[in-house]
Amino acid sequence: MQLTLDRPTLISLAAGFTDHASLPVMETTRLLRSILMEPKMARRSLQYGSTAGDPALRKLTIERLRNLDSSLDSPIYTPENVLITHGSQQLLYLVTECLCDPGDIVLVEDPTYFVYLGILQSHGIASRGIKLQADGLDLKELGRVLDDLKQRGLLPRVKMLYLVSYFQNPSGITTSLEKKRAALELLKKYEKDAGHPIYLLEDAAYRELRFTGAEVPSGLSISSDRVIYAGTYSKPFATGIRVGYGVVPEPLLTVLTRVKGNHDFGTSHLLQQILRAALESGAYEQHLALLQSRYSAKARVLTRAMEMEFPSDAIQWEKPAGGLYVWAKTDVPTGRKSKVFNGALEENVLYVPGEVCYPEDPTRRAPRNTMRLSFGGASKSEMREGIRRLGKVLRAGR
Amino acid sequence: MQLTLDRPTLISLAAGFTDHASLPVMETTRLLRSILMEPKMARRSLQYGSTAGDPALRKLTIERLRNLDSSLDSPIYTPENVLITHGSQQLLYLVTECLCDPGDIVLVEDPTYFVYLGILQSHGIASRGIKLQADGLDLKELGRVLDDLKQRGLLPRVKMLYLVSYFQNPSGITTSLEKKRAALELLKKYEKDAGHPIYLLEDAAYRELRFTGAEVPSGLSISSDRVIYAGTYSKPFATGIRVGYGVVPEPLLTVLTRVKGNHDFGTSHLLQQILRAALESGAYEQHLALLQSRYSAKARVLTRAMEMEFPSDAIQWEKPAGGLYVWAKTDVPTGRKSKVFNGALEENVLYVPGEVCYPEDPTRRAPRNTMRLSFGGASKSEMREGIRRLGKVLRAGR
């Protein structure tokens, strides 16, 4: 992101910036007017709130999740299970900080969200990668890894499985409900040897940015006490308004809330009120529909440009069904030291080298021939031009 | 805070809420209009920014600090040293998280900000308390404690001295510039035995809430490489807008910025733009002047009520010169299990029992006869009524 900000002529297909032209300026203006015109609400929004978050926003969050999960009668999670955070990123941080000790192990997808790998690394926590299939985790490998950890007496160090379950960053893959259920059952089987719960941390950051395919229910619809759900209102509305949330079972929730208090006392009350008003008024839903069609169109522009400009025999990708990324596999090195990456930089084009998305695993060499291309921040013409230049570099590098 | 929110009839002289009636509703409305009416600025404010914070806000922050420190020509700190955070609380958290390991020792004032003691405790960090005099730290005791730690081979575990240097929470004491200088010199002397820098973490959360006395320059005016300064725009403007900052020397700044990225990618850009606009337009300065006179008046109401209602022979306090608190010493127990505390709760009045503000120190029993009374959140009539009831309880408890 810093490079993108520092070098304005750079075409960034890397950073997770969101679409700039569609940011909800009018909507935010209207919502803020409604909040600030009503004296009591205005003052409340400018005052501290509670650490857990605004009760109305917590209630709206659960209603929205029950709708998405088509589990309207499900009493499994209540507004009391919701912790509002400064983006879902903060929830991921808090969970990891509170649940894990140095030397612990977190199971992750292979590849996975690279910032999360950074969080693990900064806490001295190891990761074990589980390969992905078209519908999510390779369950056989998950079983093998758990068995291996059991045999080596390492299960007591395993605290959770981290899953970016919708339009995964970076691969675009969505985990099916069946696989979530099977993964939860597998984890449960090993709890006795672990001596503690093994949680599923479900990172649903891209869930609402879906433009094709059916809605997949979350892990919350399966388990009442082993799923930690991380959701966000930032990406589906405005990333400058940092509001995310967790749905967290007790006793973990109490611990997270205390530590969140130590971090910052609670999420900015003004930002929370913007989201509350957006959800209540329908502005959130309306803007989301606009974003979905916009990202859908941008994804088409990106993949069409790739079809035209990339050497077709040697590069593969799937058309995304949601999210912000296309994950491409080539037959040449794409890492930070590669000719392709540096050639692209010379052409003023940036992508995320796929190598940073793989957990460290001494049993295999991480693939070095993948790249993550974003259709979030760049405009359509920037994407076309960026892919044209990248195609030139890819052809030259072979 | 939760108790205050749950029990609306409670008169809270405890929570650090800020004055409700004076929250800057009109100002915020105007500032947001100016931000959102200008299309380019509007979109920028709704997009991600960089982790370190908005460059304009970082620049304004340094200008403001140089003004406060009367060191307009001082090139010691630059905007590049500023990290914008979700409140200064987040800066305190980040510094402690990045600088300290479990088993380390942080020197603190005795008494000190109790939430900071909670941060230390949650990380397994020990604290050593240094008694306070009317102008700050007892330097002789600071020297004795450092000597003692040296003799016991514990200096390598000492990472910093944490000082709430202006209108301290809870005691109201302001540390003089001379004492900051002397403390920095003392710390420097022991660095060789420590084997690393020993920082001064200066928490200036209440600095701008000054209503009498001269401005005291910060530690930034003394040291270019050992002072970490934590400041906030929340308390002097609006606590629902969570924007604070640190001024941090390298190489610590780079580490903090990376960890801040893991926490939340950076402070909400919209909130940052509100503060930028408030500082640029003069709205911040104007509102601050209003707050200063308002808190000055509220402090007078509180201490006058105390003079009238409290048993005069057995309770002592200083009239505050700034901040949000009066620190009172009684001759009876005031802790959470005391007759006074529970009698007050029965009368629907809450204060902070002073006992929570003392670091654990096996060499002495923490005083149990102090209380922190806030003139922040309660209205004048609530304060009068609260103190009347508390006076009744104090007289009955003797």
Side-chain angles (χ1 to χ4, degrees), chain A residues 18 20 43 46-47 89 93 97 113 239-240 262 264-265 268, chain B residues 18 20 43 46-47 89 93 97 113 239-240 242 262 265 268:
Chain A
T18 46
H20 207 66
R43 281 205 283 269
L46 296 178
Q47 181 65 275
Q89 179 75 17
Y93 197 91
E97 182 181 15
Y113 174 37
T239 43
N262 284 345
D264 59 17
F265 295 140
S268 160
Chain B
T18 46
H20 207 67
R43 282 205 283 267
L46 295 179
Q47 182 64 274
Q89 178 75 17
Y93 196 91
E97 183 182 13
Y113 173 38
T239 43
R242 311 280 305 123
N262 284 345
F265 295 138
S268 160

PDB file of all heavy atoms in Angstrom, chain A residues 18 20 43 46-47 89 93 97 113 239-240 262 264-265 268, chain B residues 18 20 43 46-47 89 93 97 113 239-240 242 262 265 268:
ATOM      1  N   THR A  18      -9.880  -0.726  -2.228  1.00  0.00           N
ATOM      2  CA  THR A  18     -11.172  -1.027  -2.826  1.00  0.00           C
ATOM      3  C   THR A  18     -11.460  -0.010  -3.919  1.00  0.00           C
ATOM      4  O   THR A  18     -10.775   1.008  -4.043  1.00  0.00           O
ATOM      5  CB  THR A  18     -12.266  -1.014  -1.751  1.00  0.00           C
ATOM      6  OG1 THR A  18     -12.092   0.151  -0.944  1.00  0.00           O
ATOM      7  CG2 THR A  18     -12.139  -2.242  -0.866  1.00  0.00           C
ATOM      8  N   HIS A  20     -12.343   2.903  -6.019  1.00  0.00           N
ATOM      9  CA  HIS A  20     -12.299   4.277  -5.532  1.00  0.00           C
ATOM     10  C   HIS A  20     -13.529   5.081  -5.962  1.00  0.00           C
ATOM     11  O   HIS A  20     -14.120   5.816  -5.177  1.00  0.00           O
ATOM     12  CB  HIS A  20     -11.012   4.941  -6.039  1.00  0.00           C
ATOM     13  CG  HIS A  20     -10.525   6.044  -5.165  1.00  0.00           C
ATOM     14  ND1 HIS A  20     -10.063   5.828  -3.880  1.00  0.00           N
ATOM     15  CD2 HIS A  20     -10.442   7.373  -5.371  1.00  0.00           C
ATOM     16  CE1 HIS A  20      -9.720   6.985  -3.350  1.00  0.00           C
ATOM     17  NE2 HIS A  20      -9.941   7.941  -4.220  1.00  0.00           N
ATOM     18  N   ARG A  43     -24.659  13.440  20.266  1.00  0.00           N
ATOM     19  CA  ARG A  43     -23.724  13.443  21.394  1.00  0.00           C
ATOM     20  C   ARG A  43     -23.275  12.037  21.743  1.00  0.00           C
ATOM     21  O   ARG A  43     -22.097  11.806  22.024  1.00  0.00           O
ATOM     22  CB  ARG A  43     -24.359  14.144  22.594  1.00  0.00           C
ATOM     23  CG  ARG A  43     -24.300  15.668  22.435  1.00  0.00           C
ATOM     24  CD  ARG A  43     -24.339  16.367  23.773  1.00  0.00           C
ATOM     25  NE  ARG A  43     -25.686  16.379  24.310  1.00  0.00           N
ATOM     26  CZ  ARG A  43     -26.573  17.354  24.102  1.00  0.00           C
ATOM     27  NH1 ARG A  43     -26.232  18.421  23.401  1.00  0.00           N
ATOM     28  NH2 ARG A  43     -27.765  17.287  24.620  1.00  0.00           N
ATOM     29  N   LEU A  46     -20.468  10.918  19.633  1.00  0.00           N
ATOM     30  CA  LEU A  46     -19.173  11.579  19.861  1.00  0.00           C
ATOM     31  C   LEU A  46     -18.572  11.241  21.228  1.00  0.00           C
ATOM     32  O   LEU A  46     -17.520  11.745  21.596  1.00  0.00           O
ATOM     33  CB  LEU A  46     -19.318  13.099  19.710  1.00  0.00           C
ATOM     34  CG  LEU A  46     -19.704  13.578  18.297  1.00  0.00           C
ATOM     35  CD1 LEU A  46     -19.856  15.090  18.271  1.00  0.00           C
ATOM     36  CD2 LEU A  46     -18.676  13.128  17.260  1.00  0.00           C
ATOM     37  N   GLN A  47     -19.256  10.408  21.990  1.00  0.00           N
ATOM     38  CA  GLN A  47     -18.804  10.006  23.329  1.00  0.00           C
ATOM     39  C   GLN A  47     -18.244   8.577  23.257  1.00  0.00           C
ATOM     40  O   GLN A  47     -18.519   7.847  22.305  1.00  0.00           O
ATOM     41  CB  GLN A  47     -20.008  10.067  24.279  1.00  0.00           C
ATOM     42  CG  GLN A  47     -19.765   9.717  25.736  1.00  0.00           C
ATOM     43  CD  GLN A  47     -18.843  10.664  26.479  1.00  0.00           C
ATOM     44  OE1 GLN A  47     -17.617  10.503  26.429  1.00  0.00           O
ATOM     45  NE2 GLN A  47     -19.400  11.655  27.167  1.00  0.00           N
ATOM     46  N   GLN A  89      -9.689  -7.278  10.737  1.00  0.00           N
ATOM     47  CA  GLN A  89      -8.271  -7.505  11.015  1.00  0.00           C
ATOM     48  C   GLN A  89      -8.000  -7.491  12.523  1.00  0.00           C
ATOM     49  O   GLN A  89      -7.282  -8.328  13.049  1.00  0.00           O
ATOM     50  CB  GLN A  89      -7.451  -6.406  10.329  1.00  0.00           C
ATOM     51  CG  GLN A  89      -5.956  -6.505  10.547  1.00  0.00           C
ATOM     52  CD  GLN A  89      -5.319  -7.601   9.725  1.00  0.00           C
ATOM     53  OE1 GLN A  89      -5.898  -8.093   8.765  1.00  0.00           O
ATOM     54  NE2 GLN A  89      -4.135  -8.010  10.117  1.00  0.00           N
ATOM     55  N   TYR A  93      -6.420 -10.413  15.008  1.00  0.00           N
ATOM     56  CA  TYR A  93      -5.280 -10.159  15.891  1.00  0.00           C
ATOM     57  C   TYR A  93      -5.607 -10.548  17.330  1.00  0.00           C
ATOM     58  O   TYR A  93      -4.842 -11.251  17.989  1.00  0.00           O
ATOM     59  CB  TYR A  93      -4.871  -8.688  15.824  1.00  0.00           C
ATOM     60  CG  TYR A  93      -3.481  -8.451  16.377  1.00  0.00           C
ATOM     61  CD1 TYR A  93      -2.381  -8.498  15.544  1.00  0.00           C
ATOM     62  CD2 TYR A  93      -3.268  -8.220  17.725  1.00  0.00           C
ATOM     63  CE1 TYR A  93      -1.106  -8.319  16.038  1.00  0.00           C
ATOM     64  CE2 TYR A  93      -1.997  -8.034  18.242  1.00  0.00           C
ATOM     65  CZ  TYR A  93      -0.911  -8.081  17.386  1.00  0.00           C
ATOM     66  OH  TYR A  93       0.352  -7.911  17.885  1.00  0.00           O
ATOM     67  N   GLU A  97      -3.805 -13.381  19.524  1.00  0.00           N
ATOM     68  CA  GLU A  97      -3.086 -12.928  20.715  1.00  0.00           C
ATOM     69  C   GLU A  97      -3.605 -13.640  21.965  1.00  0.00           C
ATOM     70  O   GLU A  97      -2.814 -14.025  22.839  1.00  0.00           O
ATOM     71  CB  GLU A  97      -3.293 -11.410  20.841  1.00  0.00           C
ATOM     72  CG  GLU A  97      -2.564 -10.787  21.990  1.00  0.00           C
ATOM     73  CD  GLU A  97      -2.824  -9.282  22.079  1.00  0.00           C
ATOM     74  OE1 GLU A  97      -3.771  -8.775  21.440  1.00  0.00           O
ATOM     75  OE2 GLU A  97      -2.077  -8.628  22.822  1.00  0.00           O
ATOM     76  N   TYR A 113      -4.006 -15.947   3.520  1.00  0.00           N
ATOM     77  CA  TYR A 113      -3.892 -14.489   3.646  1.00  0.00           C
ATOM     78  C   TYR A 113      -2.539 -14.135   4.270  1.00  0.00           C
ATOM     79  O   TYR A 113      -2.272 -14.461   5.420  1.00  0.00           O
ATOM     80  CB  TYR A 113      -5.038 -14.021   4.537  1.00  0.00           C
ATOM     81  CG  TYR A 113      -5.069 -12.574   4.941  1.00  0.00           C
ATOM     82  CD1 TYR A 113      -4.688 -11.552   4.084  1.00  0.00           C
ATOM     83  CD2 TYR A 113      -5.531 -12.224   6.207  1.00  0.00           C
ATOM     84  CE1 TYR A 113      -4.751 -10.227   4.478  1.00  0.00           C
ATOM     85  CE2 TYR A 113      -5.608 -10.894   6.609  1.00  0.00           C
ATOM     86  CZ  TYR A 113      -5.214  -9.905   5.750  1.00  0.00           C
ATOM     87  OH  TYR A 113      -5.281  -8.596   6.143  1.00  0.00           O
ATOM     88  N   THR A 239     -13.782   1.450   3.149  1.00  0.00           N
ATOM     89  CA  THR A 239     -12.626   0.990   3.913  1.00  0.00           C
ATOM     90  C   THR A 239     -12.050   2.077   4.822  1.00  0.00           C
ATOM     91  O   THR A 239     -11.325   1.775   5.763  1.00  0.00           O
ATOM     92  CB  THR A 239     -11.531   0.470   2.964  1.00  0.00           C
ATOM     93  OG1 THR A 239     -11.428   1.385   1.860  1.00  0.00           O
ATOM     94  CG2 THR A 239     -11.875  -0.899   2.441  1.00  0.00           C
ATOM     95  N   GLY A 240     -12.377   3.331   4.558  1.00  0.00           N
ATOM     96  CA  GLY A 240     -11.942   4.411   5.455  1.00  0.00           C
ATOM     97  C   GLY A 240     -12.713   4.429   6.759  1.00  0.00           C
ATOM     98  O   GLY A 240     -12.333   5.109   7.705  1.00  0.00           O
ATOM     99  N   ASN A 262      -7.939  -3.059  26.577  1.00  0.00           N
ATOM    100  CA  ASN A 262      -6.548  -2.632  26.708  1.00  0.00           C
ATOM    101  C   ASN A 262      -6.003  -2.027  25.416  1.00  0.00           C
ATOM    102  O   ASN A 262      -5.170  -1.123  25.445  1.00  0.00           O
ATOM    103  CB  ASN A 262      -5.659  -3.809  27.126  1.00  0.00           C
ATOM    104  CG  ASN A 262      -5.813  -4.160  28.601  1.00  0.00           C
ATOM    105  OD1 ASN A 262      -6.354  -3.373  29.382  1.00  0.00           O
ATOM    106  ND2 ASN A 262      -5.348  -5.322  28.991  1.00  0.00           N
ATOM    107  N   ASP A 264      -7.788  -0.363  22.943  1.00  0.00           N
ATOM    108  CA  ASP A 264      -8.336   0.945  22.532  1.00  0.00           C
ATOM    109  C   ASP A 264      -9.664   1.328  23.177  1.00  0.00           C
ATOM    110  O   ASP A 264     -10.316   2.262  22.704  1.00  0.00           O
ATOM    111  CB  ASP A 264      -8.466   0.995  21.000  1.00  0.00           C
ATOM    112  CG  ASP A 264      -9.376  -0.107  20.461  1.00  0.00           C
ATOM    113  OD1 ASP A 264     -10.152  -0.687  21.241  1.00  0.00           O
ATOM    114  OD2 ASP A 264      -9.313  -0.397  19.253  1.00  0.00           O
ATOM    115  N   PHE A 265     -10.097   0.618  24.243  1.00  0.00           N
ATOM    116  CA  PHE A 265     -11.373   0.887  24.948  1.00  0.00           C
ATOM    117  C   PHE A 265     -12.606   0.522  24.155  1.00  0.00           C
ATOM    118  O   PHE A 265     -13.714   0.543  24.703  1.00  0.00           O
ATOM    119  CB  PHE A 265     -11.565   2.376  25.294  1.00  0.00           C
ATOM    120  CG  PHE A 265     -10.602   2.919  26.242  1.00  0.00           C
ATOM    121  CD1 PHE A 265     -10.078   4.183  26.065  1.00  0.00           C
ATOM    122  CD2 PHE A 265     -10.205   2.187  27.352  1.00  0.00           C
ATOM    123  CE1 PHE A 265      -9.177   4.706  26.954  1.00  0.00           C
ATOM    124  CE2 PHE A 265      -9.304   2.712  28.241  1.00  0.00           C
ATOM    125  CZ  PHE A 265      -8.784   3.968  28.053  1.00  0.00           C
ATOM    126  N   SER A 268     -14.405   3.194  17.671  1.00  0.00           N
ATOM    127  CA  SER A 268     -14.935   4.558  17.566  1.00  0.00           C
ATOM    128  C   SER A 268     -16.455   4.556  17.474  1.00  0.00           C
ATOM    129  O   SER A 268     -17.040   3.936  16.583  1.00  0.00           O
ATOM    130  CB  SER A 268     -14.350   5.226  16.314  1.00  0.00           C
ATOM    131  OG  SER A 268     -15.166   6.323  15.936  1.00  0.00           O
TER     132      SER A 268
ATOM    133  N   THR B  18     -16.152  11.843  29.075  1.00  0.00           N
ATOM    134  CA  THR B  18     -15.898  13.278  29.011  1.00  0.00           C
ATOM    135  C   THR B  18     -17.221  14.033  29.067  1.00  0.00           C
ATOM    136  O   THR B  18     -18.296  13.440  28.953  1.00  0.00           O
ATOM    137  CB  THR B  18     -15.126  13.604  27.723  1.00  0.00           C
ATOM    138  OG1 THR B  18     -15.740  12.917  26.625  1.00  0.00           O
ATOM    139  CG2 THR B  18     -13.684  13.149  27.844  1.00  0.00           C
ATOM    140  N   HIS B  20     -20.488  15.649  28.516  1.00  0.00           N
ATOM    141  CA  HIS B  20     -21.423  15.236  27.465  1.00  0.00           C
ATOM    142  C   HIS B  20     -22.024  16.439  26.736  1.00  0.00           C
ATOM    143  O   HIS B  20     -22.126  16.451  25.516  1.00  0.00           O
ATOM    144  CB  HIS B  20     -22.520  14.376  28.095  1.00  0.00           C
ATOM    145  CG  HIS B  20     -23.134  13.405  27.135  1.00  0.00           C
ATOM    146  ND1 HIS B  20     -22.430  12.339  26.599  1.00  0.00           N
ATOM    147  CD2 HIS B  20     -24.363  13.328  26.597  1.00  0.00           C
ATOM    148  CE1 HIS B  20     -23.206  11.662  25.777  1.00  0.00           C
ATOM    149  NE2 HIS B  20     -24.395  12.243  25.759  1.00  0.00           N
ATOM    150  N   ARG B  43     -13.579  11.009  -1.205  1.00  0.00           N
ATOM    151  CA  ARG B  43     -13.237   9.623  -1.522  1.00  0.00           C
ATOM    152  C   ARG B  43     -11.984   9.172  -0.782  1.00  0.00           C
ATOM    153  O   ARG B  43     -11.926   8.063  -0.285  1.00  0.00           O
ATOM    154  CB  ARG B  43     -13.101   9.456  -3.029  1.00  0.00           C
ATOM    155  CG  ARG B  43     -14.473   9.371  -3.709  1.00  0.00           C
ATOM    156  CD  ARG B  43     -14.388   8.618  -5.016  1.00  0.00           C
ATOM    157  NE  ARG B  43     -13.809   9.455  -6.044  1.00  0.00           N
ATOM    158  CZ  ARG B  43     -14.528  10.213  -6.883  1.00  0.00           C
ATOM    159  NH1 ARG B  43     -15.840  10.237  -6.804  1.00  0.00           N
ATOM    160  NH2 ARG B  43     -13.937  10.941  -7.789  1.00  0.00           N
ATOM    161  N   LEU B  46     -12.738   8.043   2.647  1.00  0.00           N
ATOM    162  CA  LEU B  46     -13.485   6.782   2.767  1.00  0.00           C
ATOM    163  C   LEU B  46     -12.675   5.576   2.290  1.00  0.00           C
ATOM    164  O   LEU B  46     -13.163   4.456   2.292  1.00  0.00           O
ATOM    165  CB  LEU B  46     -14.799   6.866   1.978  1.00  0.00           C
ATOM    166  CG  LEU B  46     -15.810   7.902   2.498  1.00  0.00           C
ATOM    167  CD1 LEU B  46     -17.056   7.912   1.629  1.00  0.00           C
ATOM    168  CD2 LEU B  46     -16.180   7.632   3.951  1.00  0.00           C
ATOM    169  N   GLN B  47     -11.443   5.805   1.899  1.00  0.00           N
ATOM    170  CA  GLN B  47     -10.546   4.742   1.408  1.00  0.00           C
ATOM    171  C   GLN B  47      -9.512   4.436   2.496  1.00  0.00           C
ATOM    172  O   GLN B  47      -9.292   5.242   3.398  1.00  0.00           O
ATOM    173  CB  GLN B  47      -9.853   5.235   0.128  1.00  0.00           C
ATOM    174  CG  GLN B  47      -8.910   4.271  -0.572  1.00  0.00           C
ATOM    175  CD  GLN B  47      -9.558   3.024  -1.125  1.00  0.00           C
ATOM    176  OE1 GLN B  47      -9.714   2.041  -0.395  1.00  0.00           O
ATOM    177  NE2 GLN B  47      -9.928   3.047  -2.414  1.00  0.00           N
ATOM    178  N   GLN B  89      -4.338   5.266  23.797  1.00  0.00           N
ATOM    179  CA  GLN B  89      -4.321   3.946  24.433  1.00  0.00           C
ATOM    180  C   GLN B  89      -3.664   2.912  23.517  1.00  0.00           C
ATOM    181  O   GLN B  89      -2.848   2.110  23.960  1.00  0.00           O
ATOM    182  CB  GLN B  89      -5.770   3.540  24.721  1.00  0.00           C
ATOM    183  CG  GLN B  89      -5.949   2.175  25.347  1.00  0.00           C
ATOM    184  CD  GLN B  89      -5.576   2.163  26.810  1.00  0.00           C
ATOM    185  OE1 GLN B  89      -5.472   3.201  27.444  1.00  0.00           O
ATOM    186  NE2 GLN B  89      -5.346   0.987  27.355  1.00  0.00           N
ATOM    187  N   TYR B  93      -0.358   0.500  24.163  1.00  0.00           N
ATOM    188  CA  TYR B  93      -0.400  -0.949  23.983  1.00  0.00           C
ATOM    189  C   TYR B  93       0.712  -1.411  23.045  1.00  0.00           C
ATOM    190  O   TYR B  93       1.451  -2.348  23.337  1.00  0.00           O
ATOM    191  CB  TYR B  93      -1.767  -1.382  23.441  1.00  0.00           C
ATOM    192  CG  TYR B  93      -2.009  -2.865  23.610  1.00  0.00           C
ATOM    193  CD1 TYR B  93      -2.625  -3.347  24.759  1.00  0.00           C
ATOM    194  CD2 TYR B  93      -1.594  -3.780  22.650  1.00  0.00           C
ATOM    195  CE1 TYR B  93      -2.833  -4.712  24.938  1.00  0.00           C
ATOM    196  CE2 TYR B  93      -1.791  -5.140  22.828  1.00  0.00           C
ATOM    197  CZ  TYR B  93      -2.412  -5.599  23.965  1.00  0.00           C
ATOM    198  OH  TYR B  93      -2.602  -6.947  24.144  1.00  0.00           O
ATOM    199  N   GLU B  97       3.752  -3.877  23.939  1.00  0.00           N
ATOM    200  CA  GLU B  97       3.791  -5.151  23.229  1.00  0.00           C
ATOM    201  C   GLU B  97       5.117  -5.342  22.488  1.00  0.00           C
ATOM    202  O   GLU B  97       5.687  -6.435  22.489  1.00  0.00           O
ATOM    203  CB  GLU B  97       2.623  -5.171  22.230  1.00  0.00           C
ATOM    204  CG  GLU B  97       2.482  -6.459  21.468  1.00  0.00           C
ATOM    205  CD  GLU B  97       1.331  -6.413  20.459  1.00  0.00           C
ATOM    206  OE1 GLU B  97       0.813  -5.311  20.174  1.00  0.00           O
ATOM    207  OE2 GLU B  97       0.977  -7.480  19.959  1.00  0.00           O
ATOM    208  N   TYR B 113      -1.897   5.098  36.189  1.00  0.00           N
ATOM    209  CA  TYR B 113      -3.091   4.822  35.372  1.00  0.00           C
ATOM    210  C   TYR B 113      -3.393   3.323  35.424  1.00  0.00           C
ATOM    211  O   TYR B 113      -2.614   2.514  34.946  1.00  0.00           O
ATOM    212  CB  TYR B 113      -2.773   5.266  33.947  1.00  0.00           C
ATOM    213  CG  TYR B 113      -3.777   4.949  32.870  1.00  0.00           C
ATOM    214  CD1 TYR B 113      -5.146   5.027  33.102  1.00  0.00           C
ATOM    215  CD2 TYR B 113      -3.346   4.607  31.592  1.00  0.00           C
ATOM    216  CE1 TYR B 113      -6.058   4.761  32.086  1.00  0.00           C
ATOM    217  CE2 TYR B 113      -4.249   4.349  30.565  1.00  0.00           C
ATOM    218  CZ  TYR B 113      -5.601   4.421  30.819  1.00  0.00           C
ATOM    219  OH  TYR B 113      -6.492   4.156  29.813  1.00  0.00           O
ATOM    220  N   THR B 239     -14.428  12.052  22.292  1.00  0.00           N
ATOM    221  CA  THR B 239     -13.937  10.706  22.591  1.00  0.00           C
ATOM    222  C   THR B 239     -14.535   9.650  21.661  1.00  0.00           C
ATOM    223  O   THR B 239     -13.984   8.563  21.532  1.00  0.00           O
ATOM    224  CB  THR B 239     -14.237  10.347  24.055  1.00  0.00           C
ATOM    225  OG1 THR B 239     -15.566  10.773  24.370  1.00  0.00           O
ATOM    226  CG2 THR B 239     -13.266  11.035  24.977  1.00  0.00           C
ATOM    227  N   GLY B 240     -15.658   9.963  21.013  1.00  0.00           N
ATOM    228  CA  GLY B 240     -16.223   9.022  20.036  1.00  0.00           C
ATOM    229  C   GLY B 240     -15.409   8.976  18.753  1.00  0.00           C
ATOM    230  O   GLY B 240     -15.587   8.086  17.926  1.00  0.00           O
ATOM    231  N   ARG B 242     -11.886   8.323  17.722  1.00  0.00           N
ATOM    232  CA  ARG B 242     -10.717   7.749  18.392  1.00  0.00           C
ATOM    233  C   ARG B 242      -9.464   8.031  17.582  1.00  0.00           C
ATOM    234  O   ARG B 242      -9.078   7.222  16.735  1.00  0.00           O
ATOM    235  CB  ARG B 242     -10.883   6.237  18.580  1.00  0.00           C
ATOM    236  CG  ARG B 242     -12.202   5.795  19.172  1.00  0.00           C
ATOM    237  CD  ARG B 242     -12.290   5.927  20.675  1.00  0.00           C
ATOM    238  NE  ARG B 242     -11.227   5.231  21.340  1.00  0.00           N
ATOM    239  CZ  ARG B 242     -10.377   5.806  22.178  1.00  0.00           C
ATOM    240  NH1 ARG B 242     -10.460   7.089  22.445  1.00  0.00           N
ATOM    241  NH2 ARG B 242      -9.453   5.103  22.772  1.00  0.00           N
ATOM    242  N   ASN B 262      -0.500  -5.050  11.534  1.00  0.00           N
ATOM    243  CA  ASN B 262      -1.120  -6.326  11.891  1.00  0.00           C
ATOM    244  C   ASN B 262      -2.390  -6.131  12.716  1.00  0.00           C
ATOM    245  O   ASN B 262      -3.321  -6.912  12.630  1.00  0.00           O
ATOM    246  CB  ASN B 262      -0.131  -7.190  12.678  1.00  0.00           C
ATOM    247  CG  ASN B 262       0.923  -7.825  11.784  1.00  0.00           C
ATOM    248  OD1 ASN B 262       0.774  -7.852  10.558  1.00  0.00           O
ATOM    249  ND2 ASN B 262       1.987  -8.325  12.372  1.00  0.00           N
ATOM    250  N   PHE B 265      -4.241  -2.298  10.109  1.00  0.00           N
ATOM    251  CA  PHE B 265      -3.813  -1.634   8.853  1.00  0.00           C
ATOM    252  C   PHE B 265      -3.597  -0.143   8.977  1.00  0.00           C
ATOM    253  O   PHE B 265      -3.106   0.487   8.026  1.00  0.00           O
ATOM    254  CB  PHE B 265      -4.838  -1.776   7.725  1.00  0.00           C
ATOM    255  CG  PHE B 265      -5.068  -3.143   7.250  1.00  0.00           C
ATOM    256  CD1 PHE B 265      -6.336  -3.591   6.971  1.00  0.00           C
ATOM    257  CD2 PHE B 265      -4.009  -4.002   7.049  1.00  0.00           C
ATOM    258  CE1 PHE B 265      -6.557  -4.861   6.512  1.00  0.00           C
ATOM    259  CE2 PHE B 265      -4.219  -5.283   6.593  1.00  0.00           C
ATOM    260  CZ  PHE B 265      -5.499  -5.701   6.326  1.00  0.00           C
ATOM    261  N   SER B 268      -8.634   4.640  11.104  1.00  0.00           N
ATOM    262  CA  SER B 268      -9.715   5.027  10.177  1.00  0.00           C
ATOM    263  C   SER B 268      -9.394   6.352   9.508  1.00  0.00           C
ATOM    264  O   SER B 268      -9.179   7.374  10.159  1.00  0.00           O
ATOM    265  CB  SER B 268     -11.031   5.155  10.957  1.00  0.00           C
ATOM    266  OG  SER B 268     -11.943   5.953  10.227  1.00  0.00           O
TER     267      SER B 268
END
